[in-house]
Amino acid sequence: MAPADPPLDRPSLRRRLERSKYLYLLFTGPFLFYVLFEYAPMFGVLIAFKEIKVFRGLIPMLTAPNVGFKYFEQYLADPYFWQLVRNTVLIRVLGLAIGFPAPIILALMLNEVRSDPFKRTIQSITYMPHFISLVVICGMIVNFVATDGVVNNFLAFLGFERTPFLVKPEWFRPIYIASDVWQDVGWGSIIYLAALTNIDPQIYEAAAIDGAGRWRRLRHVTWPGILPTVVILFILALGRIMEVGYQKIILLYTGATYETADVINTFVYRRGLIESDFAYATAVGLFTSVIGFAFVIAANRISRAVGETSLW
Amino acid sequence: MVGIARAATHGDRVFGLVNGLLLVALAFITLYPLYYVAIVSISHGYAVVRGEVGWWPVQVNLESYRAVLEAPYVLISYRNTIWYTVVGTIVNVALSAFCAYPLAMKFFYGRRFFTAFIVATMFFKGGLIPTYLVVRSLGLLDSMWSLVLPTAIVTYYMIIMRTFFQNIPEELHDSAYLDGANDIQIFFRIALPISTPIIATMTLFYAVQHWNSFFPALIYLSDRAKYPIQLVLRSMVIEGDVANMQVEFQDDERIVDTTVKYAIIMVSTVPILLLYPFLQRYFVKGIMIGSLKG
C-alpha cells in the first residue's frame, strides 16, 4: 500500500461521497423542501427594505429599489404601533398568569389521587379538547356566548341582562384566555405528571412516617420535585412572549374588538394579505421576529444557567 | 404507598375528598360543552331557541344532519379534507423519514452540515408574508398542493424520528450492506419495518394537524370547491353564513340554523373523537420522547 493512501479509518472524500450516494437520493426531496419553503422565505424577508407596489414574483420583488428602513420608521411612528404591542404583551402575560399555573395545579391534584382508574379517566377527559380544531372551539365560543346562546340563556335565567360578549372589547381577553385554558390545561399537565413520576416514593414513605400530612408532603416533597421542570418551562414560555395564537384571534375578533384583540400578527395578516401591502407587513413581521428572537435567546441562556444550578 | 394509606388521618381524608370533587367538576366543565353540542344537534330547533335544551335532547330528530349533508360544499369540503389528510400525511411521513434517516446515519457525508442547515430553520423563520409570497411565486396559489407542500416537514417531528432511527443497532445495517443491499433498500426493508411505532405516531401527529388546519387554506385558497371542511365550518358556524347554504328548510330558517351549526361541528369532529383512544396513547408517548430530547 502506497504511503500516500489515507488511513483506513478515514476513507477518501470520493469514497465517502460514493458510500453516501443513495442517502443523498433519499435526502433530495427534504433538501428541496427546506430550500424552497424555509430558506427562500428567509431571504424573502428582504422585501421589507424594498419599494414594492404590486406583486411581481419574489425575484423581481427582491431586486426592486431599496428604501432602507422607511417602513420600520413608519411603523414605529404610528400611534397604533403601541396599541398593538400593548395588546400582544397583555394577552400573552395575562394568558401566562392563568394558563401557566393551571396545568401545574392539575398535575398536583392528579398526583394526589389514589385510585388509578379514576385518575386515568380524568386524564382521558381533560386531554381530549387538545385535539379539537381551533375552528370548532371558536365556533362553540361564538355560539355559546351569542345573545341567544347557552351562556346568555343561563344568565337571563339568573336574572342578568343578556350581553353580546364578543363585541365587547373588555370581554375579549377573558374569553380568549379562558377557552385556551379549557382546551389545554389537561394536555399541559402531562409534562408535570412525567416529572412527578420521577420522585422517589421512598421519600414520601419517609415523610409519612415522620408524621407529615398530605399538605406538608405536597409542600416539602412534591413541589421541590417538580420545581426544576416548572422553572425551565416558565423561562421557555417567557421566551415566546411575542407568539400569540393569532389564528385563534383571527377567528374570534371583529372590528368592534380590535381595541383589545388586535395583536401584531393579526395586523400583519390584514395589512399583508388582505390589503396586499407586502413590504410594510413584512417589515412589521421582521421587527417582531427580531424582538421575539432576542427573548428566545435570553430565555435559552437563562434556562441553561438555571438548568446547571438546579441540578443540586 | 400502602404505608401512606395506613397513616391517613381525618384531615387527609377530607383533602382527598375535596380534591376528588374538584377533579370531577373539572371533568364536567370539560365534557359539558361537547355534550351540549351533541344534544343540540339532535334536538328540535324551536326547543333550542326557547332554551329548553340543557341536559337532554328535546324532540330528537336528524333533520339538522340532513340539512348539513345537503348543504352545498359540505360534502365536497369533507372529501377535500380527506384528500388533504391522506395525501398530506403520506407526503409528511415520507419526507420526514427521508430526511431523518440520512441524518441518523453516521457515515452520511455532510451530516453535521445538513443537521445545522435544518435546525437553523427552527430559529429563523421567514414569517407569514414572505412564505405566502414564495408559495405564490411558485404558482401554488389556489392549488390543492399549497396545503401539502409548504408544510411537508415539521422539523421538530423529523428530529424525533431521527432520534428513533439513531437507536437502530448499526449491525443491522452493516450486515445488510455486506449482503449487497444499497441504503435505499436497507431503509425500506429494514429500517422502516422495525420503526412502525414511530411511523404510527408521526402519522397520527400529521393527520390530526391536517384534519384540523384552516389557516393555510384561508390564505392560499380562493376556490370554494377546494376548501377543506374547517373553512366551510368557519363560514357557517363562526361567520353565521348559513344563509349561503341555500337549503330549503321546512321550518323557519333561523330556528333550524342553530341546530345545523351544531350538527356540522359534530360531523367535522367525530373522526377525531373516534381516533381519540389511539391519539391519546401515541401523543403522550410522543410528548415523552420530545421532552427527553429537549
Side-chain angles (χ1 to χ4, degrees):
Chain A
M1 202 178 274
D5 264 4
L8 273 177
D9 55 328
R10 281 219 55 140
S12 68
L13 177 61
R14 227 191 108 106
R15 290 271 307 270
R16 296 179 67 189
L17 285 171
E18 169 75 19
R19 176 71 185 87
S20 305
K21 69 181 178 200
Y22 287 102
L23 293 182
Y24 285 123
L25 208 57
L26 273 186
F27 197 65
T28 312
F31 183 73
L32 279 177
F33 163 79
Y34 280 104
V35 169
L36 284 180
F37 296 108
E38 295 284 357
Y39 278 88
M42 268 188 231
F43 289 102
V45 154
L46 291 174
I47 68 163
F49 305 96
K50 302 288 177 179
E51 179 74 57
I52 284 160
K53 295 279 193 295
V54 286
F55 176 82
R56 288 185 298 147
L58 198 63
I59 292 165
M61 284 166 95
L62 284 176
T63 50
N66 269 314
V67 293
F69 284 86
K70 183 177 132 193
Y71 303 121
F72 294 87
E73 285 161 16
Q74 255 178 46
Y75 177 53
L76 289 173
D78 188 341
Y80 199 55
F81 162 76
W82 286 109
Q83 181 162 355
L84 287 173
V85 171
R86 189 170 160 270
N87 284 346
T88 308
V89 170
L90 263 181
I91 211 160
R92 188 81 182 115
V93 168
L94 294 175
L96 267 185
I98 297 161
F100 188 78
I104 302 174
I105 295 168
L106 176 59
L108 292 175
M109 288 169 73
L110 283 169
N111 191 50
E112 294 296 323
V113 172
R114 282 183 198 147
S115 146
D116 260 357
F118 178 69
K119 182 175 170 181
R120 271 201 302 273
T121 309
I122 299 286
Q123 282 177 286
S124 292
I125 291 171
T126 54
Y127 296 172
M128 193 160 53
H130 175 78
F131 297 98
I132 295 175
S133 83
L134 219 46
V135 179
V136 166
I137 302 276
C138 294
M140 284 163 59
I141 296 171
V142 168
N143 287 284
F144 285 178
V145 306
T147 43
D148 58 353
V150 61
V151 171
N152 270 310
N153 284 348
F154 185 64
L155 288 177
F157 171 75
L158 293 179
F160 291 99
E161 218 172 302
R162 290 180 184 265
T163 315
F165 290 101
L166 274 178
V167 294
K168 299 261 184 198
E170 70 270 25
W171 278 102
F172 189 84
R173 283 184 203 117
I175 290 172
Y176 176 92
I177 292 167
S179 56
D180 256 12
V181 173
W182 178 82
Q183 189 178 11
D184 272 324
V185 62
W187 192 250
S189 70
I190 294 177
I191 193 138
Y192 298 109
L193 285 169
L196 286 168
T197 56
N198 290 331
I199 300 175
D200 185 354
Q202 288 189 340
I203 306 177
Y204 282 104
E205 293 275 351
I209 289 163
D210 289 346
R214 285 178 109 168
W215 262 118
R216 298 191 52 190
R217 290 200 298 267
L218 186 62
R219 270 196 53 193
H220 298 290
V221 182
T222 313
W223 178 244
I226 60 164
L227 192 58
T229 311
V230 171
V231 171
I232 299 291
L233 288 182
F234 185 69
I235 294 166
L236 293 179
L238 283 184
R240 293 192 306 266
I241 203 84
M242 304 302 275
E243 290 173 30
V244 174
Y246 69 100
Q247 299 186 3
K248 186 172 170 186
I249 296 182
I250 287 174
L251 290 172
L252 280 182
Y253 74 173
T254 61
T257 47
Y258 280 179
E259 183 188 331
T260 52
D262 201 14
V263 296
I264 300 171
N265 282 331
T266 49
F267 177 78
V268 169
Y269 162 75
R270 279 202 318 279
R271 191 72 186 248
L273 297 183
I274 309 280
E275 297 167 27
S276 297
D277 194 350
F278 301 121
Y280 187 80
T282 304
V284 174
L286 177 59
F287 180 79
T288 317
S289 323
V290 169
I291 295 178
F293 188 67
F295 271 102
V296 172
I297 294 292
N300 279 338
R301 281 266 166 80
I302 299 171
S303 93
R304 201 167 299 157
V306 176
E308 273 163 14
T309 50
S310 68
L311 281 174
W312 67 81
Chain B
M1 292 308 245
V2 182
I4 298 176
R6 215 188 304 123
T9 63
H10 176 67
D12 283 356
R13 242 172 267 127
V14 173
F15 180 103
L17 189 68
V18 172
N19 186 44
L21 286 177
L22 286 173
L23 286 171
V24 170
L26 177 72
F28 173 78
I29 294 170
T30 308
L31 282 183
Y32 182 73
L34 305 171
Y35 173 74
Y36 181 77
V37 171
I39 60 173
V40 166
S41 76
I42 54 170
S43 292
H44 195 281
Y46 286 112
V48 175
V49 170
R50 273 189 249 116
E52 287 166 12
V53 179
W55 297 109
W56 312 110
V58 178
Q59 287 177 273
V60 176
N61 70 87
L62 295 177
E63 273 303 292
S64 55
Y65 285 89
R66 192 185 59 81
V68 164
L69 294 181
E70 284 174 6
Y73 295 112
V74 168
L75 282 182
I76 296 174
S77 68
Y78 213 81
R79 200 197 59 201
N80 289 342
T81 289
I82 293 172
W83 189 90
Y84 291 127
T85 305
V86 171
V87 175
T89 305
I90 292 172
V91 170
N92 284 145
V93 173
L95 280 190
S96 303
F98 293 171
C99 189
Y101 186 71
L103 293 181
M105 294 298 105
K106 285 211 184 74
F107 64 84
F108 180 50
Y109 189 69
R111 179 178 176 231
R112 293 182 63 156
F113 167 76
F114 288 122
T115 306
F117 175 81
I118 287 167
V119 170
T121 66
M122 295 175 88
F123 295 94
F124 303 99
K125 294 270 176 205
L128 180 64
I129 308 296
T131 307
Y132 167 86
L133 293 174
V134 167
V135 170
R136 190 164 164 180
S137 302
L138 291 170
L140 288 174
L141 220 55
D142 221 12
S143 149
M144 289 183 87
W145 293 100
S146 66
L147 303 200
V148 173
L149 299 178
T151 52
I153 299 176
V154 174
T155 302
Y156 179 69
Y157 295 169
M158 188 279 292
I159 288 180
I160 293 177
M161 264 180 137
R162 188 200 61 166
T163 310
F164 192 94
F165 286 140
Q166 274 171 340
N167 292 332
I168 298 175
E170 266 178 70
E171 300 80 61
L172 280 179
H173 298 107
D174 293 347
S175 61
Y177 186 71
L178 292 177
D179 286 346
N182 70 45
D183 288 301
I184 291 182
Q185 291 166 329
I186 297 172
F187 170 73
F188 280 107
R189 290 191 200 148
I190 295 170
L192 278 192
I194 60 174
S195 304
T196 33
I198 197 75
I199 301 291
T201 308
M202 289 299 135
T203 303
L204 286 172
F205 274 29
Y206 281 122
V208 170
Q209 201 160 300
H210 279 291
W211 190 274
N212 285 341
S213 136
F214 83 99
F215 194 69
L218 177 70
I219 65 178
Y220 297 139
L221 300 181
S222 47
D223 181 0
R224 272 185 160 242
K226 291 172 184 151
Y227 276 11
I229 184 81
Q230 301 291 340
L231 219 50
V232 171
L233 195 65
R234 171 176 179 262
S235 66
M236 283 172 59
V237 178
I238 297 180
E239 297 176 331
D241 200 6
V242 189
N244 271 1
M245 292 165 49
Q246 299 161 334
V247 182
E248 286 171 29
F249 296 119
Q250 298 129 324
D251 302 279
D252 177 8
E253 255 188 39
R254 243 195 59 74
I255 294 204
V256 186
D257 269 10
T258 321
T259 57
V260 174
K261 287 177 185 174
Y262 287 91
I264 191 174
I265 289 182
M266 289 304 291
V267 169
S268 69
T269 312
V270 157
I272 295 280
L273 296 181
L274 289 181
L275 269 181
Y276 180 62
F278 304 97
L279 292 178
Q280 193 196 343
R281 219 179 52 235
Y282 282 108
F283 270 69
V284 171
K285 219 179 277 169
I287 260 201
M288 294 309 176
I289 304 172
S291 68
L292 287 181
K293 270 274 327 145

